[in-house]
Amino acid sequence: EITYEYPLWIENEHLTKSYRKVTFSDGTYIKIVGNHAFYDTDKNLFVDMDKLKIGSNVAKISNDVT
């Protein structure tokens, strides 16, 4: 089971000079600072962003309440 958890550390302000933007096939995106892992649903494990390839299938949880 995959659930959403609010990361408490995100409330602490941090400044950065750069980030990476990953855009998904549905047009949504995530901005990433540093190394970040995604859950690859084909491999059934977490994969560092640097090792993902275009077309990889990753788990995405939406907290959209609309």
Side-chain angles (χ1 to χ4, degrees):
E1 178 180 339
I2 298 175
T3 61
Y4 173 82
E5 287 292 330
Y6 183 79
L8 295 176
W9 58 265
I10 206 164
E11 294 178 3
N12 298 326
E13 184 175 331
H14 299 279
L15 299 176
T16 184
K17 295 182 181 189
S18 65
Y19 63 87
R20 291 186 269 182
K21 181 179 176 182
V22 176
T23 303
F24 300 101
S25 60
D26 65 359
T28 61
Y29 62 88
I30 185 171
K31 294 178 182 177
I32 300 167
V33 176
N35 194 15
H36 189 72
F38 290 88
Y39 189 78
D40 187 317
T41 57
D42 294 327
K43 295 180 179 179
N44 201 30
L45 55 86
F46 283 93
V47 176
D48 288 337
M49 194 204 108
D50 292 338
K51 295 187 177 155
L52 283 177
K53 304 214 185 303
I54 293 175
S56 295
N57 292 305
V58 298
K60 180 179 149 194
I61 298 173
S62 173
N63 62 343
D64 185 10
V65 292
T66 58

